[in-house]
Amino acid sequence: MRRPVLLSPFGLVVLAVLAGASGCSGETPSQPPVVEPPKPAGPQLAGLREQVEVVVDDRGMPHIYALSLHDAALVQGYLMAKDRFPQMEIIKRNVTGQLAEFIGTRSASALENDVAARVIGFKRVADRMYASLGAESQEKIALDGFAAGVNAYLAEVRSGTAKLSPGAELLGLLVSNPAAFKDWTPQDSLAIGRYLSHALSHSAEEEVGLTQARMAAAAAFPTGNPRAGIFRDFWSFAPAREVFTRDGLSLPREGAEGMKGRAARKPSSEAVLPSGEAVANAQGFLAASKRLRSMLGDESRGSNNWVVAGSKTASGAPLLANDPHLSLPSPPLFWYSHLNTKRAGGNLDVAGISLVGVPGIILGFNDQLAWGSTTANHDVTDVYQEVITKGTNGGPDTVLFKGQQVPIETVTETIKVAGEPDVVLKLERVPHHGLIIPKIENGAVVPRTSSTALSMRWTGDEVSSEISAFLGLNTATTVAEAQAALANFKVGAQSFVFATRSGDIAWSTQARLPVRDARALTYDPVTQTGLSPAMVLPGDGSCEWLGDVEAQGLPQDANPAKGFIATANNDLVGTTKDGNPFNDSRYIGWDYDLGHRVARITERLQTLVAKGGVTPEDMMALQGDHRSPLGALLAPRFVAAARRVQEERSQPGTHPDLSGLVQRSTSADLDLLAQVANRLAAWTYETPAGVDIGDGEPSAAEISDSIATSLFNASLLRLVKLAFDDEISAIGFRPSSSFMAKALQLAILEPNKLATYSAARGDTVLWDNLATMDVVETRDERIAVSMILGAFYLRDKFGADPSQWRWGKLHTLKLVSSVPPTSGESAATIPAPGDTRFPDGFPRPGDNFGVDASQFGLSNPERFSYENGPVQRVVVEMTPEGPKAWNALPGGQVFDPRSKHHADEMEHWRRNEAPSLYFQEADVNAHRASRTTFVP
């Protein structure tokens, strides 16, 4: 039953008057006094149906108490826009392809970005998604209410009541152009949500890139060449660490059809490769698409999450931890909020973080359930080579599919450009696959003339309702209800973890995962022959999607005996353990994190649960784990190589492979190498910044570890260059940092597992430089040289005193404004321009592939700063009395740099602190900074 409407002061006066009019029979009632209508109880919001109370706490988080979902969403939209309008507008226009509409030709990349966004079609699918919603559905109510709230704020911007803040000067071009300054629409929110799904699941760039690398490697190092297996080594599907969330698939019986399908996976005797022209024509779009996706992070984006059973915790209540890794702009991509209709009899009482531009809570907790997510890396994209036949009698061109000629459809997109004519795109679409990747040159689509082209099929091109999933999670009270809500989660596969007030912990990867035709799964990484969904497939109908994996067949678990569940974008169930993800009873995916994060998380959780009494503080400490994964594995080998050099130096001929290095090196160089080895031998593999971050001078031990971290990483990046740049140049394609790390790890620790291993040499041939025909370089020689060069780099940069070679001077983070400045550096950047303490950014601990993500990659030996990492560090304890939560955001709630909430969260985040969030009304009021009542 609906609760009565909250009464205004005027309503209370009316009730009092009516009560007085009901006196004893026969009495002449007195005339009621004239009552002036009172002033509104608070600010008025157009579209609001009933009063909404908002309490903003001392961290800037709004707690929205409404009578309905519509009003809660409307006020959420208004307050989010008030805090984040400049960021919301730029993100919306990036996603919907409307930057050039107000920027025009001031930025060459604006139109290029618009073209990429229109080709992908976030707005097209968002329009269809919105049209599919029921008129009275909760999804439509939330989206419409949120849009109305945003537009209430935009009206204030148009009227001049709200002014643009410093750092938002670019949007002055928009505000002064009424034709371009449009209202927010529900479809804009859906497009942003679909963009997030695209960034976390669309893999066309990777699949075309892998195909190109395979073709180029085969051309550079053909059969018979000692390096003929280099593609397998540089682009290995095997994990670097064999640690999985659970061992084995949780699949129902395959049945006769499944067994038949597996039997059909017979590798071809030859490699099946697409047209070089088709692949080359796709490069312009793929590069533009990569730039568009970079708004959410580079190749290092990912996440950690884990849950611990109450039987292992100090309180007896389950614990949940989640830190998603995306780009780190200013302000963050997420915004704190708390939505409550339960106080007025509704079912909504949920807090956490909202994706900027989207209603509801995407990651958070209610009074019964907490949830977090990481990218699951299910393969939900395929790229096909289409064979195209010219249309006859003026008809459309066709593609060959299952022996039939299927007409190509045309999609028209019109891009408005300020001060210039409209740009009209004529895109081609294959009905059963998707858009044909157009050739793009100088930001323009070039009409296709070739008889082959690549098309993309992605689950996100079809209508689904992820907003239904999240609205369902917002009110779910049990794991079963959460999983039922996630039945609507089809795109952007995530590993969701749950902890409930009743004591359950669980993990689910519910999402749409296509079942491929067995003929698409014949690739053999050893022979490098056959077909694979990780590379371009033939579009002739032989490698199609045959349906979807059933929900119970997806990776998942609940209340395991070990007492915890952890995921970190890793291979979840071990299908890549043998180096071949295509030969299992169910194909799930191929592009996983290399495994160092989940290995370290698992190691620490095993120790914690074995001891028992796990606390929230233990979870926070684990989120801030800064142990160097590669350092722990490889630094001992660096030390051993340097020791061998010293042995050769003192006793020539002891190690012939190092005699050349010793002979051409000065005594000072060899002494420096010995010093580096001593530093690394004493290293604990912790990676502190080693500089004053505002809390005082670090300890001597921290400084020592910091210097060792600098030496190791400076040496490591030079070793990658020394060892692999000759082969990379010959191939013409550079593997990602994750692929490079795996190759280097095997080359140093287990070279016999590499395809380029030479039994005659007892090592991989990759150490030998292709350019030096008369010299054979070896592993320890390359390592020792890289150590000397790394020390040279630090000496040249910071001076001859090694005590100044501290990691925090190299490894820094600057939160660049999400709204581009019109000149110079944006006032919204954190640290602020002109900051004298941290002019180069905040000094940070951590290095590549660590738990507290701060990856700088392995491709640039001069760059150790980073731009991607945890967008929250939340810990939730689901006690019998309700949730207790701690969190920190990288930045602040508010875009305006003049606000006290612009950068206050960063002070917690950069110290790896997570203060309490307020959820219970008593706690909220105890920390109240302001209270406002909005009225219709």
Side-chain angles (χ1 to χ4, degrees):
M1 174 180 286
R2 185 175 175 182
R3 290 282 296 273
V5 176
L6 292 175
L7 290 171
S8 67
F10 178 73
L12 293 174
V13 170
V14 172
L15 277 181
V17 170
L18 291 174
S22 60
C24 297
S25 175
E27 294 183 358
T28 302
S30 61
Q31 293 296 318
V34 177
V35 179
E36 292 291 332
K39 295 180 180 179
Q44 293 177 301
L45 279 183
L48 201 62
R49 295 171 182 169
E50 295 161 316
Q51 289 186 4
V52 174
E53 181 184 1
V54 176
V55 176
V56 178
D57 66 34
D58 53 20
R59 294 180 67 182
M61 180 175 182
H63 304 262
I64 301 168
Y65 300 96
L67 273 72
S68 67
L69 174 61
H70 172 273
D71 284 358
L74 189 148
V75 173
Q76 184 187 35
Y78 174 78
L79 294 175
M80 186 186 291
K82 190 174 181 180
D83 283 351
R84 300 287 190 90
F85 159 64
Q87 179 190 35
M88 290 171 66
E89 188 69 27
I90 290 296
I91 290 176
K92 177 188 81 172
R93 289 181 175 272
N94 267 287
V95 169
T96 59
Q98 299 178 87
L99 281 174
E101 184 176 14
F102 80 97
I103 294 178
T105 57
R106 290 177 176 87
S107 169
S109 62
L111 181 57
E112 294 177 0
N113 185 94
D114 286 354
V115 170
R118 298 297 184 94
V119 173
I120 297 168
F122 301 118
K123 179 67 164 57
R124 288 195 303 274
V125 72
D127 288 343
R128 289 160 44 217
M129 290 164 66
Y130 184 70
S132 73
L133 299 176
E136 301 299 325
S137 66
Q138 294 294 291
E139 296 77 20
K140 189 174 188 302
I141 288 170
L143 288 163
D144 288 351
F146 181 86
V150 174
N151 291 330
Y153 179 76
L154 298 189
E156 295 177 6
V157 175
R158 290 190 181 95
S159 69
T161 306
K163 304 289 186 181
L164 293 176
S165 69
E169 292 82 5
L170 180 67
L171 292 179
L173 299 172
L174 176 65
V175 175
S176 63
N177 184 351
F181 191 7
K182 301 181 180 70
D183 276 355
W184 193 273
T185 70
Q187 294 91 325
D188 292 331
S189 296
L190 290 172
I192 291 172
R194 188 49 46 109
Y195 167 76
L196 176 63
S197 298
H198 182 273
L200 299 178
S201 69
H202 194 274
S203 56
E205 298 158 30
E206 291 80 1
E207 291 171 15
V208 175
L210 201 63
T211 304
Q212 284 184 291
R214 178 183 171 190
M215 296 165 68
F221 303 110
T223 301
N225 188 291
R227 291 171 169 79
I230 198 168
F231 176 75
R232 175 183 163 195
D233 291 351
F234 275 4
W235 286 273
S236 170
F237 294 119
R241 299 289 300 277
E242 294 181 356
V243 178
F244 313 109
T245 300
R246 61 165 288 165
D247 291 327
L249 291 156
S250 53
L251 291 172
R253 294 177 63 86
E254 286 186 84
E257 286 303 312
M259 295 175 66
K260 180 180 177 182
R262 293 187 72 188
R265 298 183 198 179
K266 296 178 180 179
S268 306
S269 59
E270 299 178 0
V272 182
L273 299 171
S275 157
E277 180 185 18
V279 172
N281 286 343
Q283 294 313 300
F285 164 75
L286 295 174
S289 176
K290 184 176 182 178
R291 287 194 299 272
L292 181 62
R293 288 172 64 181
S294 68
M295 186 167 62
L296 284 183
D298 60 19
E299 67 174 70
S300 65
R301 61 184 180 272
S303 305
N304 303 320
N305 65 20
W306 58 87
V307 280
V308 178
S311 60
K312 307 295 183 180
T313 68
S315 68
L319 289 165
L320 176 146
N322 186 205
D323 54 300
H325 310 152
L326 296 169
S327 63
L328 297 173
S330 172
L333 295 166
F334 297 90
W335 181 77
Y336 284 136
S337 57
H338 178 186
L339 307 176
N340 183 305
T341 64
K342 186 169 283 189
R343 190 172 74 171
N347 66 346
L348 186 65
D349 187 12
V350 61
I353 57 173
S354 304
L355 177 63
V356 171
V358 181
I361 303 297
I362 189 170
L363 296 172
F365 54 93
N366 58 41
D367 59 354
Q368 297 292 329
L369 176 134
W371 74 95
S373 73
T374 66
T375 303
N377 290 322
H378 293 350
D379 187 355
V380 296
T381 310
D382 280 335
V383 179
Y384 297 96
Q385 176 169 268
E386 308 289 352
V387 177
I388 301 173
T389 301
K390 186 72 175 174
T392 58
N393 299 322
D397 292 353
T398 63
V399 296
L400 180 64
F401 183 70
K402 296 184 178 180
Q404 303 294 318
Q405 294 295 328
V406 178
I408 295 174
E409 300 171 346
T410 300
V411 176
T412 302
E413 289 276 354
T414 301
I415 302 174
K416 293 187 177 299
V417 183
E420 300 288 336
D422 293 350
V423 173
V424 179
L425 306 180
K426 295 291 185 181
L427 306 174
E428 296 180 300
R429 181 180 183 277
V430 177
H432 45 274
H433 289 152
L435 261 289
I436 287 178
I437 300 178
K439 182 177 182 180
I440 296 179
E441 291 181 350
N442 301 318
V445 172
V446 178
R448 178 190 51 78
T449 58
S450 61
S451 60
T452 59
L454 304 183
S455 67
M456 303 176 290
R457 187 174 186 187
W458 173 51
T459 56
D461 288 330
E462 299 178 28
V463 170
S464 58
S465 186
E466 282 64 44
I467 188 152
S468 300
F470 285 111
L471 288 176
L473 281 178
N474 287 183
T475 59
T477 62
T478 65
V479 170
E481 289 181 6
Q483 290 176 327
L486 289 175
N488 293 304
F489 191 89
K490 302 293 186 184
V491 183
Q494 297 286 298
S495 279
F496 289 93
V497 292
F498 312 101
T500 71
R501 190 165 168 176
S502 60
D504 290 317
I505 62 170
W507 155 59
S508 174
T509 62
Q510 285 168 287
R512 183 186 175 196
L513 175 60
V515 175
R516 269 77 170 189
D517 189 301
R519 290 170 289 182
L521 298 163
T522 60
Y523 184 72
D524 182 348
V526 176
T527 63
Q528 298 174 39
T529 58
L531 294 171
S532 153
M535 290 171 257
V536 177
L537 294 167
D540 58 7
S542 61
C543 296
E544 299 304 301
W545 297 356
L546 306 180
D548 299 331
V549 175
E550 54 278 272
Q552 65 268 32
L554 294 168
Q556 56 192 284
D557 207 352
N559 299 319
K562 64 184 179 181
F564 70 89
I565 304 170
T567 85
N569 317 118
N570 53 295
D571 176 351
L572 299 167
V573 291
T575 61
T576 63
K577 186 175 181 179
D578 63 353
N580 187 348
F582 315 111
N583 62 355
D584 294 276
S585 57
R586 180 71 80 227
Y587 170 64
I588 298 174
W590 63 275
D591 190 14
Y592 298 108
D593 180 80
L594 68 175
H596 290 303
R597 280 186 289 120
V598 77
R600 178 62 173 168
I601 292 167
T602 300
E603 172 190 330
R604 288 195 61 176
L605 286 175
Q606 287 172 335
T607 300
L608 287 169
V609 299
K611 183 177 66 174
V614 182
T615 66
E617 290 74 21
D618 291 329
M619 302 295 89
M620 296 175 202
L622 179 48
Q623 286 179 330
D625 186 283
H626 299 125
R627 182 179 172 88
S628 172
L630 292 184
L633 287 172
L634 304 183
R637 296 303 180 98
F638 282 29
V639 173
R643 299 283 193 250
R644 292 185 73 238
V645 171
Q646 300 307 322
E647 291 170 3
E648 175 63 23
R649 180 187 187 186
S650 61
Q651 297 182 354
T654 306
H655 303 295
D657 58 310
L658 299 172
S659 60
L661 171 61
V662 171
Q663 291 169 12
R664 66 177 182 268
S665 300
T666 67
S667 293
D669 291 348
L670 296 177
D671 289 343
L672 183 59
L673 176 63
Q675 294 173 30
V676 173
N678 290 337
R679 292 274 186 183
L680 293 183
W683 187 22
T684 68
Y685 312 124
E686 292 298 315
T687 58
V691 298
D692 183 0
I693 62 170
D695 301 328
E697 184 70 8
S699 67
E702 289 174 326
I703 292 173
S704 177
D705 274 344
S706 174
I707 296 167
T709 304
S710 296
L711 285 165
F712 173 73
N713 283 294
S715 303
L716 181 73
L717 267 62
R718 281 149 185 82
L719 179 59
V720 170
K721 187 175 181 64
L722 284 174
F724 300 144
D725 263 18
D726 52 339
E727 287 88 1
I728 290 171
S729 296
I731 296 170
F733 292 92
R734 177 174 289 277
S736 70
S737 292
S738 292
F739 281 129
M740 281 286 83
K742 286 194 284 186
L744 187 67
Q745 179 179 321
L746 285 177
I748 292 176
L749 302 178
E750 300 176 281
N752 59 307
K753 291 186 176 180
L754 293 172
T756 52
Y757 178 76
S758 167
R761 295 188 184 188
D763 209 340
T764 173
V765 298
L766 295 176
W767 296 115
D768 187 20
N769 193 332
L770 289 166
T772 56
M773 303 299 294
D774 56 342
V775 177
V776 177
E777 288 82 6
T778 63
R779 180 193 62 188
D780 284 358
E781 183 269 343
R782 296 283 84 182
I783 291 173
V785 170
S786 75
M787 292 168 70
I788 295 171
L789 293 177
F792 285 173
Y793 166 77
L794 295 172
R795 183 187 64 190
D796 293 345
K797 192 170 185 68
F798 300 120
D801 181 4
S803 69
Q804 299 304 310
W805 299 354
R806 303 188 191 182
W807 185 230
K809 296 181 180 181
L810 287 171
H811 193 234
T812 58
L813 170 65
K814 180 174 287 191
L815 310 183
V816 177
S817 173
S818 53
V819 179
T822 53
S823 63
E825 190 173 17
S826 172
T829 293
I830 305 173
D835 186 294
T836 56
R837 293 184 307 161
F838 307 120
D840 300 319
F842 296 109
R844 292 290 299 149
D847 64 1
N848 283 314
F849 316 117
V851 175
D852 187 8
S854 57
Q855 188 167 320
F856 47 88
L858 297 177
S859 61
N860 185 347
E862 307 294 322
R863 177 184 172 276
F864 298 90
S865 59
Y866 69 104
E867 293 90 32
N868 303 273
V871 295
Q872 71 164 353
R873 293 195 189 96
V874 70
V875 173
V876 184
E877 185 175 35
M878 292 303 298
T879 75
E881 294 75 34
K884 294 181 180 179
W886 300 262
N887 204 353
L889 297 182
Q893 276 283 85
V894 182
F895 178 90
D896 189 343
R898 299 168 299 187
S899 168
K900 66 179 181 180
H901 294 305
H902 170 69
D904 55 338
E905 285 287 310
M906 192 62 192
E907 289 305 296
H908 302 305
W909 188 97
R910 72 183 183 86
R911 291 181 168 87
N912 284 74
E913 300 169 349
S916 295
L917 296 180
Y918 318 121
F919 183 72
Q920 306 296 343
E921 196 163 354
D923 288 336
V924 171
N925 288 325
H927 295 275
R928 182 179 69 235
S930 68
R931 172 182 279 133
T932 305
T933 300
F934 292 96
V935 299

